[in-house]
């Protein structure tokens, strides 16, 4: 019989994992950007391509680790020149262009906090996040600035500097500079200051059921988890050509689109173009992608494009495929095996965990439809909340909330300005994920659903409250409620119900006006795809709108307990 190595205790595991990274010279701490870039300058990866950018227009552009180190040094120096000190927040509102990557790494070197925003956001999500994150600096394009940010300057008095990636347009707005001009004046050498592993590094906004978006704050030592999970869950090796299709505006695009592959010294492909089935197969082929990390909605869209299309491409470089962000239907795993010759490895994590926690890992049996098993260093359980306590369910196949034992380095450290909400996520040693799951007898976890009303559309988490607030800004709207309606392609689509103020006629014209208003305020990600005007919305006796009931009615499901309903309608 083979000797079996017992699984390592999480504490020892993370301590070894930390030791596998370099740390700043002379024991001056641990800095994410140093581990991602500068550490490679004395090794074989120094002149390897770190990013190969495929722009929307024009020729591909490559940046080696050495070049990335120099450019990010310039950005760090620029922040110092602008007197943007450690702990200040640098926001990014950009497509997948080189300046974004340079700014992320430069800001981390200068010990600023980096907060990426998805570029399809409209002005309202941008304003609320920049206000909550106390934005000092914004890196954006001239067009995004004019269309989405210029009108918000009064609401963002702390925003001192706007650095424009691209030819600047005429503006008299204060603090607006051309980024390329400023960088050209900076020296390419920079000494990263001492960095405490617990210093804040990354801020990612995520959505809850109620209230404003939550800014989950991560620290520099999260890089330890980014590094080891890139190896254990994505099988990254130094000679890989890796393509993470997630936008850096979301946590996957940051942790695994930037930090993790860099720490392993791999070459990442960054495709700025939007999804297009043929274009994606072409990228996989022409870029000789070996490891591909993508999302279920994209896979379903490829499946819809048919089995003939991929046959026209040579995909033989592909070695490993993984997916995250929403449930991956078992058929997709089977399709992938049949059509691409490889299965898809589903994995699970969320903004708060900062890195992959549960995965179908290389070399282990994949159970199609399952998210896999906890990674080394991660202890997961199924639990039930009762009277403020959490009870762990030991028997297999029981449904309950997914719990994770605290102690891994990429766990978030707070929700910015919402300490109580943050504390509410923990019970003793357990972090409560808000996801419902079951665990089978072999330790595989199966996703059941969310414990709250948050909507997952095309992998993006959307808070109903944020959408409802934007709808309520329209003068005709008296009440609004938003639900996730199941959709075969994007998982769930945003559906809104509104009731009108007296004096407004509920006709098609007004309906379209309200939809248009929401789209303009929120952008295409969160705006409702469907909107229905009702006479009034069902509420509890205490006046709380019952999204659950609207959803049940929409789906033709049993309405459940309606005893608390104000006036059953
Ligand atoms: P986010 O914080 O935006 O990354 O969203 C995290 C949420 O996405 C999780 O809490 C889950 O609800 C969902 N999610 C992530 N990965 C998976 C997966 N593999 N299967 C099902 N749901 C997932």
């Amino acid at each position: 019989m083979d000797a079996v190595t017992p699984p390592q205790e999480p504490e020892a595991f993370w301590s070894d994992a930390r030791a596998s990274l370099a740390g700043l010279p002379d024991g001056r701490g641990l800095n994410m950007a140093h581990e991602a870039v500068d550490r490679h300058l004395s090794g074989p990866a120094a002149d390897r391509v770190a990013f190969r950018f495929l722009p929307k227009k024009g020729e591909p552009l490559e940046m080696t680790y050495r070049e990335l180190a120099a450019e990010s040094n310039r950005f760090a120096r620029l922040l110092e020149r602008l007197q943007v000190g450690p702990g200040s927040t640098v926001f990014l509102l950009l497509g997948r262009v080189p300046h974004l990557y340079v700014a992320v790494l430069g800001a981390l070197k200068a010990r600023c906090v980096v907060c990426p925003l998805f570029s399809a956001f409209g002005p309202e999500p941008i304003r609320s996040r920049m206000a909550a994150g106390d934005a000092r600096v914004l890196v954006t394009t001239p067009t995004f600035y004019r269309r989405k940010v210029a009108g918000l300057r009064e609401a963002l008095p702390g925003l001192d500097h706007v650095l424009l990636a691209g030819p600047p347009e005429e503006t008299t707005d204060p603090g607006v500079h051309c980024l390329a001009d400023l960088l050209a004046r900076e020296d390419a050498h920079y000494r990263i200051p001492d960095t405490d592993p617990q210093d804040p590094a990354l801020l990612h906004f995520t959505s809850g059921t109620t209230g404003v978006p939550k800014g989950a704050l991560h620290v520099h030592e999260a890089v330890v988890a980014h590094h080891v999970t890139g190896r254990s869950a994505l099988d990254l090796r130094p000679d890989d050509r890796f393509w993470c299709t997630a936008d850096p505006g979301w946590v996957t695009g940051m942790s695994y689109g930037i930090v993790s592959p860099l720490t392993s010294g791999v070459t990442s492909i960054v495709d700025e173009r939007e999804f297009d089935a043929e274009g994606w197969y072409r990228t996989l082929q022409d870029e000789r992608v070996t490891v591909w990390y993508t999302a279920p909605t994209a896979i379903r869209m490829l499946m819809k494009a048919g089995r003939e299309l991929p046959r026209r491409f040579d995909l033989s470089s592909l070695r490993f495929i993984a997916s995250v962000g929403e449930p991956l239907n078992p058929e997709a795993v089977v399709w992938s095996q049949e059509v691409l010759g490889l299965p898809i490895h589903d994995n699970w994590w969320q903004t708060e965990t900062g890195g992959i926690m549960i995965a179908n890992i290389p070399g282990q049996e994949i159970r199609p439809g399952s998210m896999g098993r906890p990674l080394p260093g991660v202890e997961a359980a199924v639990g039930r909340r009762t009277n403020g306590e959490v009870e762990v369910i030991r028997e297999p196949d029981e449904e309950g909330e997914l719990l994770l034992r605290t102690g891994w380095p990429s766990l978030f450290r707070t929700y910015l300005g919402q300490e109580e909400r943050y504390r509410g996520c923990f019970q003793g040693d357990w972090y409560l994920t808000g996801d419902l799951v079951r665990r089978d007898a072999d330790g595989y976890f199966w996703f059941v659903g969310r414990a709250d009303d948050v909507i997952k559309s095309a992998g993006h988490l959307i808070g109903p409250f944020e959408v409802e607030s934007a709808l309520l800004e329209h003068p005709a709207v008296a009440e609004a409620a938003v639900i996730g309606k199941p959709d075969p392609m994007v998982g769930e689509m945003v559906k809104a119900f509104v009731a009108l103020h007296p004096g407004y006629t509920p006709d098609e014209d007004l309906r379209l006006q309200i939809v248009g208003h929401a789209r303009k305020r929120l952008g295409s990600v969160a705006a409702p795809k469907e909107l229905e005007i009702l006479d009034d919305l069902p509420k509890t006796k205490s006046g709380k709108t019952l999204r659950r009931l609207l959803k049940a009615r929409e789906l033709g499901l049993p309405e459940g307990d309606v005893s608390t309903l104000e006036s059953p309608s």
Side-chain angles (χ1 to χ4, degrees), residues 299 303 323 328-346 360 366-370:
I299 290 163
M303 288 168 76
S323 142
L328 181 71
N329 23 332
E331 312 81 69
V333 182
V334 175
W335 170 88
S336 171
Q337 180 73 64
E338 287 174 5
V339 177
L340 307 177
L342 293 169
I344 301 170
H345 298 74
D346 189 19
N360 287 283
I366 295 177
R367 300 211 166 155
S370 148

Side-chain angles (χ1 to χ4, degrees), residues 418-430:
Q418 301 185 61
E419 191 57 28
E420 210 168 306
R421 212 167 175 189
Y422 169 73
R423 267 189 260 114
C425 297
F426 299 90
Q427 276 287 334
D429 277 356
W430 293 110

Side-chain angles (χ1 to χ4, degrees), residues 206 250-252 323-328 346-352 371 433 435 447 450 456 459-461:
T206 182
W250 305 95
V251 73
T252 306
S323 142
V324 72
E326 39 172 334
L328 181 71
D346 189 19
N347 60 52
W348 180 97
W349 60 292
Q350 55 182 195
T351 303
E352 288 84 344
M371 316 188 294
T433 65
D435 274 8
F447 184 77
R450 299 269 317 179
K456 248 290 152 132
H460 302 148
L461 212 55

Side-chain angles (χ1 to χ4, degrees), residues 400-552:
E401 184 168 357
L402 173 61
L403 312 177
L404 299 168
R405 174 99 61 196
T406 56
W408 74 96
S410 63
L411 176 62
F412 72 135
R413 297 301 199 266
T414 192
Y415 287 133
L416 212 63
Q418 301 185 61
E419 191 57 28
E420 210 168 306
R421 212 167 175 189
Y422 169 73
R423 267 189 260 114
C425 297
F426 299 90
Q427 276 287 334
D429 277 356
W430 293 110
Y431 163 63
L432 285 53
T433 65
D435 274 8
L436 300 176
V437 296
R438 62 188 171 75
R439 195 191 68 245
D440 68 22
D442 300 315
Y444 282 78
F445 283 75
W446 300 74
F447 184 77
V448 173
R450 299 269 317 179
D452 57 19
D453 289 341
V454 170
I455 300 161
K456 248 290 152 132
S457 190
H460 302 148
L461 212 55
I462 298 167
F465 177 81
E466 202 175 6
V467 184
E468 288 158 6
S469 306
L471 288 166
L472 286 168
E473 284 173 5
H474 190 281
V477 176
E479 296 172 50
V482 166
I483 63 162
K485 179 175 169 181
D487 178 275
M489 193 54 73
V490 295
E492 286 184 310
M493 66 142 110
V494 179
K495 168 145 195 184
F497 299 89
V498 298
L500 303 179
H501 284 297
Y504 286 91
T505 314
D507 55 19
E508 184 58 9
D509 233 25
L510 181 59
R511 202 186 67 79
L512 290 176
Q513 251 188 49
I514 301 172
V515 171
H517 160 86
R519 222 186 139 77
K520 201 162 146 232
R521 298 295 290 153
L522 296 165
S524 56
V525 194
K529 299 284 175 293
E530 282 185 15
L531 185 137
E532 202 175 317
I533 302 177
L534 301 178
D535 289 342
D536 54 36
L537 302 188
K539 281 182 283 308
T540 59
K541 289 184 178 115
S542 59
K544 208 165 154 250
T545 307
L546 277 167
R547 298 187 187 113
R548 177 180 55 76
L549 189 60
L550 283 165
K551 187 158 180 170

Side-chain angles (χ1 to χ4, degrees), residues 189-211:
H189 295 94
Y190 181 74
R191 181 179 190 263
I192 299 178
D194 299 6
T195 309
D196 189 313
Q198 302 308 321
D199 279 344
L202 299 172
L203 178 65
H204 283 287
F205 280 89
T206 182
S207 300
T209 315
T210 55

